Amino acid sequence: MLEQTARAGTTITWSAIRKRLPALPRLHRDDESVLLWLVDDDRDQGEPLLSALVTVGDRQMHPRFPAIAEQLGVPARRASAQQRSTWNDEVLKAHQHWRHRR
């Protein structure tokens, strides 16, 4: 689903994910974080973080993105402006990377 989201050049919220996957139970934010980490844990070196495509509200960075990115080796820094910049970069890279893949 996140690869399709990347190909479409969009982002997705947890509520939209639950609508598309009705069998997915409502998750605690900690469990959401673990799931997002697992999405990217086995990605190839240099591939962008698909987890960056999961947002809150109207295309707002998921609050756990900086910690997830750091755990996956993508420096997200401490200042919120730098975190948003890292997040924007990962979203753009995911869109570009998956645009023409099938």
Side-chain angles (χ1 to χ4, degrees), residues 3-79:
E3 291 172 5
Q4 292 171 342
T5 301
R7 282 187 205 97
T10 62
T11 58
I12 191 167
T13 62
W14 276 107
S15 61
I17 291 171
R18 280 190 293 277
K19 285 180 185 174
R20 290 179 63 184
L21 299 172
L24 182 69
R26 183 169 283 284
L27 301 170
H28 184 273
R29 190 155 278 183
D30 290 341
D31 297 326
E32 290 176 356
S33 297
V34 170
L35 192 55
L36 292 176
W37 180 82
L38 288 170
V39 163
D40 288 316
D41 184 43
D42 66 348
R43 77 189 193 291
D44 290 336
Q45 183 68 23
E47 280 189 5
L49 301 177
L50 283 170
S51 59
L53 301 177
V54 179
T55 61
V56 294
D58 183 26
R59 195 171 143 69
Q60 297 297 312
M61 176 181 71
H62 190 282
R64 302 279 175 96
F65 171 78
I68 293 166
E70 288 283 343
Q71 291 172 349
L72 293 166
V74 176
R77 301 174 193 86
R78 298 262 185 234

Side-chain angles (χ1 to χ4, degrees), residues 61 75-89:
M61 176 181 71
R77 301 174 193 86
R78 298 262 185 234
S80 63
Q82 293 172 322
Q83 291 172 350
R84 281 190 305 277
S85 177
T86 299
W87 174 71
N88 281 322
D89 289 346

